Coordinates of all heavy atoms in Angstrom, one line a residue:
C47 N 145.3 227.7 245.4 CA 145.2 226.5 244.6 C 146.1 226.8 243.3 O 146.0 227.8 242.7 CB 143.8 226.2 244.2 SG 143.6 224.8 243.1
H49 N 145.7 225.6 240.5 CA 144.9 225.6 239.3 C 144.4 227.0 238.9 O 144.9 227.6 237.9 CB 143.7 224.7 239.5 CG 142.8 224.6 238.3 ND1 141.4 224.5 238.4 CD2 143.1 224.6 236.9 CE1 140.9 224.5 237.1 NE2 141.9 224.5 236.3
R50 N 143.6 227.7 239.7 CA 143.1 229.0 239.4 C 143.2 230.0 240.6 O 142.5 231.0 240.6 CB 141.7 229.0 238.9 CG 141.5 228.3 237.5 CD 142.2 229.2 236.4 NE 142.1 228.6 235.1 CZ 143.0 227.8 234.6 NH1 144.1 227.5 235.3 NH2 142.9 227.4 233.4
G51 N 144.1 229.7 241.5 CA 144.4 230.7 242.6 C 143.3 230.8 243.7 O 143.4 231.7 244.5
T52 N 142.4 229.9 243.7 CA 141.4 229.9 244.8 C 142.0 229.6 246.2 O 143.0 228.9 246.3 CB 140.3 228.9 244.5 OG1 139.8 229.1 243.2 CG2 139.1 229.0 245.5
C70 N 139.9 221.3 246.8 CA 139.6 222.7 246.5 C 138.1 222.9 246.2 O 137.5 222.1 245.6 CB 140.4 223.1 245.3 SG 140.2 224.8 244.8
Y72 N 136.7 225.0 244.2 CA 136.3 225.5 242.9 C 136.1 224.3 241.9 O 135.0 224.1 241.4 CB 137.4 226.4 242.4 CG 136.9 227.4 241.3 CD1 135.7 227.4 240.8 CD2 137.9 228.3 240.8 CE1 135.3 228.3 239.8 CE2 137.5 229.2 239.8 CZ 136.2 229.2 239.3 OH 135.8 230.0 238.3
H73 N 137.1 223.5 241.6 CA 137.0 222.4 240.7 C 137.3 221.1 241.3 O 137.5 220.1 240.6 CB 137.9 222.6 239.4 CG 137.7 224.0 238.8 ND1 138.6 225.0 239.1 CD2 136.8 224.5 238.0 CE1 138.3 226.1 238.5 NE2 137.2 225.9 237.8
G74 N 137.5 221.1 242.6 CA 137.6 219.8 243.3 C 139.0 219.1 243.2 O 139.1 217.9 243.5
W75 N 140.0 219.8 242.7 CA 141.4 219.2 242.7 C 141.7 218.8 244.2 O 141.4 219.5 245.1 CB 142.4 220.2 242.2 CG 142.4 220.5 240.8 CD1 141.4 220.4 239.9 CD2 143.6 220.9 240.0 NE1 141.8 220.7 238.7 CE2 143.1 221.0 238.7 CE3 144.9 221.1 240.3 CZ2 144.0 221.4 237.6 CZ3 145.8 221.5 239.3 CH2 145.3 221.7 237.9
Ligands
FES401 FE1 141.3 224.9 242.7 FE2 140.3 224.9 240.2 S1 141.0 226.6 241.4 S2 140.5 223.3 241.6

Side-chain angles (χ1 to χ4, degrees):
C47 181
H49 181 217
R50 288 295 178 266
T52 306
C70 180
Y72 199 1
H73 310 96
W75 287 27

